[in-house]
Amino acid sequence: MSDSSPDLRTFTVKDAAAQLGMSVQSTYRAIYNAGLPVVRIGSAIRIRERDLLAWLDERTEVAA
């Protein structure tokens, strides 16, 4: 298995925040209010890379 596979790679909330250029608090708001999908493993929250990319794609706007 490859560690770089988008189907397997996950981020912590802190790592996802860094990838998005957002604060950790804003990333939690995206999870709870804006539908950013997560995987819960016990009390840990992980964000799959493919879900993060799909969530971003859904929010992409083209300036008019």
Side-chain angles (χ1 to χ4, degrees):
M1 286 191 290
S2 171
D3 290 336
S4 62
S5 171
D7 289 333
L8 298 177
R9 185 167 181 195
T10 62
F11 298 107
T12 63
V13 174
K14 183 178 178 181
D15 291 339
Q19 290 290 317
L20 293 167
M22 296 170 42
S23 69
V24 172
Q25 183 179 9
S26 292
T27 304
Y28 275 111
R29 270 187 289 215
I31 293 167
Y32 292 107
N33 299 324
L36 177 58
V38 299
V39 175
R40 293 184 187 273
I41 305 168
S43 62
I45 294 175
R46 296 292 180 266
I47 301 164
R48 290 186 295 191
E49 183 177 30
R50 68 179 176 167
D51 291 339
L52 180 62
L53 294 172
W55 184 80
L56 285 173
D57 284 344
E58 291 171 3
R59 281 150 185 76
T60 300
E61 297 180 12
V62 177

